[in-house]
Amino acid sequence: YQPDNATLIVSDKFDADQVLDWVAQSFGKIPRPKRALTRLYTVDLVQDGERAVTVRRVGGSPMSLVAYHVPAGAHPDYAAVEALNLILSEAPGGRLHKRLVEESKLAASVGYFGLALAEPGFTMLTAELAPKAEQDALNRELQAVTEGFAERPVTEQELKRAQTRWLNRWEQLFTSPEQVGIQLSESIAQGDWVKVSSKRGFIK
């Protein structure tokens, strides 16, 4: 960290002039360094096809997951990634929940995990194996449903439901000054915090 690569976040109710004065007193006297920061980058190896890994452990709850490459968090297409995650995993209307939990009884629960990163990253869809269900069958169905949008495109109802849930979550975040600060820091970490925050509703 150095003065031209640091950000201070203040959230909750405060006197802006007073806070800016305190910031200037504490940080304004630090000189700007002459050195230039090294630009970091990540280059993935060529992906010639899917990769499958099986990890076996004693005890616990067996899980199946599929992971996919996705754009960086600041990319315009990342909003579609978040929408698809909700369309697939949210209970009770999500496609994975309906197919794996309610209909086939292969999974006890489903979910997703993804991070909006400064560089292209990943998103994962997960399913916890139901009692007496077969892992191979769960693996096949998890992948089939996740990759089934070509045969079953997203419906208007699914998209509206995902949009509503996404907006509701942001409304809830705005009730917590701590969460506002955390989400702003996430936007900053993705690069251009002004653009990212604008897309996520922090800046109008």
Side-chain angles (χ1 to χ4, degrees), residues 26-79:
S26 298
F27 300 102
K29 57 189 176 184
I30 303 176
R32 182 188 181 96
K34 295 180 180 179
R35 69 174 183 176
L37 293 172
T38 302
R39 290 186 63 84
L40 302 178
Y41 62 91
T42 298
V43 178
D44 284 337
L45 296 175
V46 175
Q47 305 281 317
D48 293 326
E50 67 181 31
R51 302 179 183 184
V53 177
T54 301
V55 179
R56 293 181 174 86
R57 292 287 187 271
V58 177
S61 301
M63 297 282 295
S64 294
L65 66 87
V66 289
Y68 301 90
H69 291 275
V70 297
H75 193 284
D77 289 344
Y78 196 81

Side-chain angles (χ1 to χ4, degrees), residues 1 7-11 116-118 170 177-193 196-197 200 202:
Y1 293 98
T7 305
L8 176 67
I9 299 173
V10 181
S11 62
L117 304 175
W170 281 103
E178 179 183 6
Q179 285 299 320
V180 170
I182 290 173
Q183 295 304 319
L184 278 173
S185 70
E186 290 292 324
S187 297
I188 292 166
Q190 292 172 34
D192 190 333
W193 70 273
V196 176
S197 296
R200 295 183 179 276
F202 282 110

Side-chain angles (χ1 to χ4, degrees), residues 160-174:
K160 286 184 177 179
R161 186 165 57 239
Q163 289 173 328
T164 299
R165 294 195 178 225
W166 190 89
L167 291 171
N168 286 343
R169 288 182 179 180
W170 281 103
E171 288 292 337
Q172 292 172 3
L173 286 176
F174 276 111

Side-chain angles (χ1 to χ4, degrees), residues 69-91:
H69 291 275
V70 297
H75 193 284
D77 289 344
Y78 196 81
V81 174
E82 293 184 326
L84 288 175
N85 283 334
L86 292 172
I87 289 169
L88 284 167
S89 64
E90 286 285 299

